[in-house]
Amino acid sequence: MKAHQLTRITGAVKNSLGLVYGINKGAMHAKYPDAISFSKMLVDLNLLVKPRLHIMDGIMAMEGNGPRSGKPKKMNVIIMSDDPVALDATFCRMVDLDPELIPTVNYGESYGLGKWKEEDIEYLGDDIGGFISKDFDIKRGPVKKENIAAASIFRGMVLRKPFIEESKCIRCGVCVEACPVQGKALEFKKGDRSNPPVYDYKKCIRCYCCQEMCPEEAIDVKTPLLGKLFLYR
Ligand code: SF4
Ligand code: SF4
């Protein structure tokens, strides 16, 4: 049960990406570089594999800068379902997030993977009203199609981007290895490891694999002022 920078939440539908092995995971990010196409791929993957039971551990969830560098948030809940869309929609409701705005949920229903509307879900167990956390730190606006390839000349001024906190970086290079972009969107300048790797934002597809893999939680995400005003309101 975690917040996610690209897809808003990482829940049952997104969890199935774990079935994609090794570097193919990164290749999926390169092939589907925006949140919408990536989410559609996740729904397709679930339809192909058809996992029979989904279990979400939300005893200690993660809010904020997920999926790797967020803050622990006690939600004290375990959610189980044979419907990953219903499960993720329930997660959304618990954190006061409109499920319809989440592409894995929305496309999940329209592609026939499951149901997200409350009237179509049968709840068993404790009343979910007792688990709602309106202050869960998560972005609540619609997921935008951050199509990096088609982005305009203003993209550097509007798109969110990962950055490295120099004081936390141990120069291990895990983020560089994790970057799925051919030719790498971040690298040590001239191979010099005395400084952190440097981003090439023109190449960066905003998959946040670097952030997810950094063992020191040294990578955060920032939004330029114009982006805050026009894109991520
Ligand atoms: S993975 Fe993290 S700690 Fe390692 S080089 Fe990259 S930013 Fe620095
Ligand atoms: S630099 Fe990070 S966010 Fe950008 S493409 Fe590489 S791994 Fe993804």
Side-chain angles (χ1 to χ4, degrees):
M1 188 183 224
K2 295 196 279 187
H4 193 280
Q5 289 291 343
L6 183 70
T7 50
R8 291 283 186 279
I9 62 164
T10 175
V13 177
K14 175 127 189 343
N15 192 44
S16 297
L17 189 65
L19 298 164
V20 179
Y21 67 95
I23 57 166
N24 291 290
K25 224 177 256 143
M28 289 294 105
H29 280 290
K31 198 167 174 190
Y32 305 100
D34 63 83
I36 308 291
S37 62
F38 189 70
S39 298
K40 288 178 177 175
M41 178 276 293
L42 290 170
V43 171
D44 273 345
L45 182 61
N46 276 265
L47 286 167
L48 179 74
V49 181
K50 298 186 178 67
R52 285 181 292 169
L53 180 66
H54 303 264
I55 305 173
M56 177 176 282
D57 179 358
I59 300 292
M60 188 64 78
M62 180 185 283
E63 62 178 0
N65 188 23
R68 169 101 195 179
S69 308
K71 292 197 183 107
K73 173 85 172 173
K74 221 174 202 177
M75 293 293 285
N76 284 323
V77 65
I78 289 179
I79 318 172
M80 290 187 265
S81 181
D82 58 0
D83 178 339
V85 179
L87 194 159
D88 285 351
T90 303
F91 166 19
C92 290
R93 290 188 178 98
M94 286 180 178
V95 297
D96 195 28
L97 180 64
D98 182 353
E100 195 174 5
L101 299 181
I102 306 304
T104 44
V105 172
N106 202 325
Y107 290 108
E109 173 152 329
S110 56
Y111 285 19
L113 178 63
K115 304 278 187 194
W116 68 262
K117 294 186 188 81
E118 201 145 34
E119 61 267 27
D120 294 329
I121 299 174
E122 183 188 4
Y123 296 111
L124 304 173
D126 294 322
D127 179 3
I128 78 159
F131 296 93
I132 290 174
S133 170
K134 286 187 182 278
D135 65 352
F136 193 95
D137 182 9
I138 195 162
K139 290 188 173 60
R140 291 189 168 77
V143 174
K144 302 285 181 179
K145 190 175 182 186
E146 291 179 17
N147 193 330
I148 310 310
S152 74
I153 53 169
F154 298 110
R155 66 185 216 156
M157 288 186 259
V158 294
L159 290 184
R160 287 190 293 146
K161 52 188 166 193
F163 72 97
I164 296 172
E165 286 182 50
E166 190 172 347
S167 59
K168 289 187 183 173
C169 175
I170 57 168
R171 282 66 160 164
C172 65
V174 168
C175 54
V176 178
E177 282 163 35
C179 181
V181 170
Q182 212 172 13
K184 301 291 178 188
L186 86 163
E187 275 188 303
F188 290 102
K189 228 176 181 176
K190 294 183 182 160
D192 174 15
R193 289 194 178 225
S194 57
N195 288 305
V198 176
Y199 283 98
D200 179 345
Y201 291 116
K202 284 188 191 135
K203 287 186 187 168
C204 175
I205 60 170
R206 273 69 167 177
C207 65
Y208 304 110
C209 289
C210 51
Q211 180 220 17
E212 192 166 348
M213 298 307 292
C214 173
E216 299 298 314
E217 300 183 0
I219 301 180
D220 208 337
V221 178
K222 65 181 167 193
T223 308
L225 182 63
L226 284 178
K228 281 184 193 158
L229 289 174
F230 298 111
L231 196 58
Y232 303 105
R233 285 180 297 160

Coordinates of all heavy atoms in Angstrom, one line a residue, residues 120-157:
D120 N -20.6 -1.8 -7.0 CA -20.3 -3.1 -7.6 C -19.4 -4.0 -6.7 O -18.9 -5.1 -7.0 CB -19.6 -3.0 -8.9 CG -20.5 -2.4 -10.0 OD1 -21.8 -2.6 -9.9 OD2 -20.1 -1.6 -10.8
I121 N -19.0 -3.4 -5.5 CA -18.0 -4.1 -4.7 C -18.7 -4.5 -3.4 O -19.4 -3.8 -2.8 CB -16.8 -3.2 -4.3 CG1 -16.1 -2.7 -5.6 CG2 -15.9 -3.8 -3.3 CD1 -15.0 -1.7 -5.3
E122 N -18.5 -5.8 -3.1 CA -19.0 -6.3 -1.8 C -17.9 -6.4 -0.8 O -16.9 -7.0 -1.0 CB -19.6 -7.8 -2.0 CG -20.2 -8.3 -0.8 CD -20.5 -9.8 -0.9 OE1 -20.2 -10.4 -2.0 OE2 -21.1 -10.4 0.0
Y123 N -18.1 -5.6 0.3 CA -17.1 -5.6 1.3 C -17.4 -6.6 2.4 O -18.5 -6.7 2.9 CB -17.0 -4.2 2.0 CG -16.6 -3.1 1.1 CD1 -17.5 -2.1 0.7 CD2 -15.3 -3.0 0.6 CE1 -17.1 -1.1 -0.2 CE2 -14.9 -2.0 -0.3 CZ -15.8 -1.0 -0.6 OH -15.4 0.0 -1.5
L124 N -16.4 -7.4 2.8 CA -16.5 -8.3 3.9 C -15.5 -7.9 5.0 O -14.5 -7.2 4.6 CB -16.2 -9.7 3.5 CG -17.1 -10.3 2.3 CD1 -16.5 -11.6 1.9 CD2 -18.5 -10.4 2.7
G125 N -15.8 -8.2 6.2 CA -14.8 -7.8 7.2 C -15.2 -6.4 7.8 O -16.3 -6.0 7.8
D126 N -14.1 -5.7 8.4 CA -14.4 -4.5 9.1 C -14.9 -3.4 8.1 O -14.6 -3.4 6.9 CB -13.1 -3.9 9.7 CG -12.6 -4.9 10.8 OD1 -13.5 -5.4 11.5 OD2 -11.4 -5.1 10.9
D127 N -15.7 -2.5 8.6 CA -16.2 -1.3 7.9 C -15.1 -0.5 7.4 O -14.2 0.0 8.2 CB -17.1 -0.5 8.8 CG -17.7 0.7 8.1 OD1 -17.5 0.9 6.9 OD2 -18.5 1.4 8.8
I128 N -15.0 -0.2 6.1 CA -13.8 0.6 5.6 C -13.8 2.0 6.1 O -12.8 2.7 6.2 CB -13.7 0.6 4.1 CG1 -14.6 1.5 3.4 CG2 -13.7 -0.8 3.5 CD1 -14.1 1.9 2.0
G129 N -15.0 2.5 6.6 CA -15.1 3.8 7.1 C -14.1 4.0 8.3 O -13.6 5.2 8.5
G130 N -13.8 3.0 9.0 CA -12.9 3.1 10.1 C -11.4 3.2 9.7 O -10.5 3.4 10.6
F131 N -11.1 3.1 8.4 CA -9.7 3.1 7.9 C -9.4 4.3 7.1 O -8.3 4.4 6.6 CB -9.4 1.8 7.1 CG -9.6 0.6 7.9 CD1 -10.7 -0.2 8.0 CD2 -8.5 0.1 8.7 CE1 -10.9 -1.3 8.7 CE2 -8.6 -1.1 9.4 CZ -9.8 -1.8 9.5
I132 N -10.4 5.2 6.9 CA -10.1 6.3 6.0 C -9.2 7.3 6.6 O -9.3 7.8 7.7 CB -11.5 6.9 5.6 CG1 -12.2 5.9 4.7 CG2 -11.2 8.3 4.8 CD1 -13.5 6.3 4.3
S133 N -8.1 7.7 5.8 CA -7.1 8.6 6.3 C -7.1 9.8 5.3 O -6.4 9.7 4.2 CB -5.8 7.9 6.3 OG -4.7 8.8 6.6
K134 N -7.8 10.9 5.6 CA -7.8 12.0 4.7 C -6.5 12.7 4.6 O -6.3 13.5 3.7 CB -9.0 12.9 5.1 CG -10.3 12.4 4.8 CD -11.4 13.4 5.1 CE -12.8 12.9 4.8 NZ -13.3 12.9 3.5
D135 N -5.6 12.5 5.6 CA -4.4 13.3 5.5 C -3.2 12.4 4.9 O -2.1 12.8 5.0 CB -4.0 13.8 6.9 CG -3.7 12.7 7.9 OD1 -4.0 11.5 7.5 OD2 -3.2 13.0 9.0
F136 N -3.6 11.3 4.4 CA -2.5 10.5 3.7 C -1.9 11.3 2.6 O -2.6 11.9 1.7 CB -3.2 9.2 3.1 CG -2.3 8.1 2.6 CD1 -2.0 7.1 3.5 CD2 -1.7 8.2 1.4 CE1 -1.1 6.0 3.0 CE2 -0.8 7.2 0.9 CZ -0.5 6.1 1.8
D137 N -0.6 11.4 2.6 CA 0.1 12.3 1.7 C 0.2 11.6 0.3 O 1.1 10.7 0.1 CB 1.5 12.6 2.3 CG 2.3 13.6 1.4 OD1 1.7 14.1 0.4 OD2 3.5 13.8 1.7
I138 N -0.6 12.1 -0.6 CA -0.6 11.5 -1.9 C -1.2 12.5 -2.9 O -2.0 13.4 -2.5 CB -1.5 10.2 -1.9 CG1 -1.3 9.4 -3.2 CG2 -3.0 10.5 -1.8 CD1 -1.7 7.9 -3.1
K139 N -0.7 12.5 -4.1 CA -1.3 13.5 -5.1 C -2.7 13.1 -5.5 O -2.9 12.0 -5.9 CB -0.3 13.6 -6.3 CG 1.0 14.2 -6.0 CD 1.8 14.5 -7.2 CE 3.1 15.3 -6.8 NZ 3.9 14.5 -5.8
R140 N -3.6 14.1 -5.4 CA -5.0 13.7 -5.6 C -5.6 14.2 -6.9 O -6.7 13.9 -7.2 CB -5.9 14.2 -4.4 CG -5.6 13.5 -3.1 CD -6.5 13.8 -2.0 NE -6.3 12.8 -0.9 CZ -5.3 12.9 0.0 NH1 -4.4 13.8 -0.1 NH2 -5.2 11.9 0.9
G141 N -4.8 15.0 -7.7 CA -5.3 15.4 -9.0 C -5.3 14.3 -10.0 O -4.7 13.2 -9.7
P142 N -5.8 14.6 -11.2 CA -5.8 13.6 -12.3 C -4.3 13.3 -12.7 O -3.5 14.1 -12.6 CB -6.5 14.2 -13.4 CG -7.1 15.5 -12.9 CD -6.4 15.8 -11.6
V143 N -4.1 12.0 -13.1 CA -2.8 11.6 -13.6 C -2.7 12.2 -15.0 O -3.5 11.9 -15.9 CB -2.7 10.1 -13.6 CG1 -1.4 9.6 -14.3 CG2 -2.8 9.5 -12.2
K144 N -1.7 13.0 -15.3 CA -1.5 13.6 -16.6 C -0.7 12.6 -17.5 O 0.1 11.9 -17.0 CB -0.8 14.9 -16.5 CG -1.5 15.9 -15.6 CD -2.7 16.5 -16.3 CE -3.3 17.5 -15.4 NZ -4.5 18.2 -15.9
K145 N -1.0 12.8 -18.8 CA -0.2 12.0 -19.7 C 1.1 12.7 -19.9 O 1.3 13.6 -20.8 CB -0.9 11.8 -21.0 CG -0.2 10.8 -21.9 CD -1.0 10.6 -23.2 CE -0.3 9.5 -24.0 NZ -0.9 9.3 -25.3
E146 N 2.1 12.4 -19.1 CA 3.4 13.0 -19.2 C 4.2 12.4 -20.4 O 5.1 11.6 -20.2 CB 4.2 12.9 -18.0 CG 3.7 13.6 -16.8 CD 4.5 13.4 -15.6 OE1 5.7 12.9 -15.7 OE2 4.0 13.7 -14.5
N147 N 3.7 12.6 -21.6 CA 4.3 12.0 -22.7 C 5.7 12.7 -23.0 O 5.7 13.7 -23.7 CB 3.4 12.0 -24.0 CG 4.0 11.0 -25.0 OD1 5.2 10.8 -25.1 ND2 3.1 10.5 -25.8
I148 N 6.7 12.0 -22.6 CA 8.0 12.7 -22.6 C 8.5 12.9 -24.1 O 9.0 13.9 -24.5 CB 9.0 11.8 -21.8 CG1 8.5 11.5 -20.5 CG2 10.4 12.6 -21.8 CD1 8.0 12.7 -19.7
A149 N 8.2 11.8 -24.9 CA 8.7 11.9 -26.3 C 8.1 13.0 -27.0 O 8.7 13.7 -27.8 CB 8.4 10.6 -27.0
A150 N 6.8 13.3 -26.7 CA 6.1 14.3 -27.4 C 6.1 15.7 -26.7 O 5.4 16.6 -27.2 CB 4.6 13.9 -27.7
A151 N 6.8 15.8 -25.6 CA 6.7 17.0 -24.9 C 7.3 18.2 -25.6 O 8.2 18.0 -26.5 CB 7.5 16.8 -23.6
S152 N 6.8 19.3 -25.3 CA 7.2 20.5 -26.1 C 8.5 21.1 -25.6 O 9.1 20.5 -24.7 CB 6.1 21.6 -25.9 OG 6.2 22.1 -24.6
I153 N 8.9 22.2 -26.2 CA 10.2 22.8 -25.8 C 10.1 23.3 -24.3 O 11.1 23.6 -23.7 CB 10.5 24.0 -26.7 CG1 9.4 24.9 -26.8 CG2 11.0 23.5 -28.1 CD1 9.7 26.2 -27.5
F154 N 8.9 23.4 -23.8 CA 8.7 23.9 -22.4 C 8.8 22.8 -21.4 O 8.6 23.1 -20.2 CB 7.3 24.6 -22.3 CG 7.2 25.8 -23.2 CD1 6.3 25.8 -24.3 CD2 8.0 27.0 -23.0 CE1 6.2 26.9 -25.1 CE2 7.9 28.1 -23.8 CZ 7.0 28.0 -24.9
R155 N 9.0 21.6 -21.8 CA 8.9 20.5 -20.9 C 9.8 20.6 -19.7 O 9.4 20.3 -18.6 CB 9.2 19.2 -21.6 CG 10.6 19.0 -22.1 CD 10.7 17.7 -22.8 NE 12.0 17.1 -22.6 CZ 12.3 15.9 -22.7 NH1 11.4 15.0 -23.0 NH2 13.5 15.4 -22.5
G156 N 11.0 21.2 -19.9 CA 11.9 21.3 -18.8 C 11.4 22.3 -17.8 O 11.8 22.2 -16.6
M157 N 10.5 23.2 -18.2 CA 10.0 24.2 -17.3 C 8.7 23.7 -16.6 O 8.2 24.3 -15.7 CB 9.7 25.5 -18.0 CG 10.9 26.2 -18.4 SD 10.4 27.8 -19.2 CE 10.6 27.4 -20.9

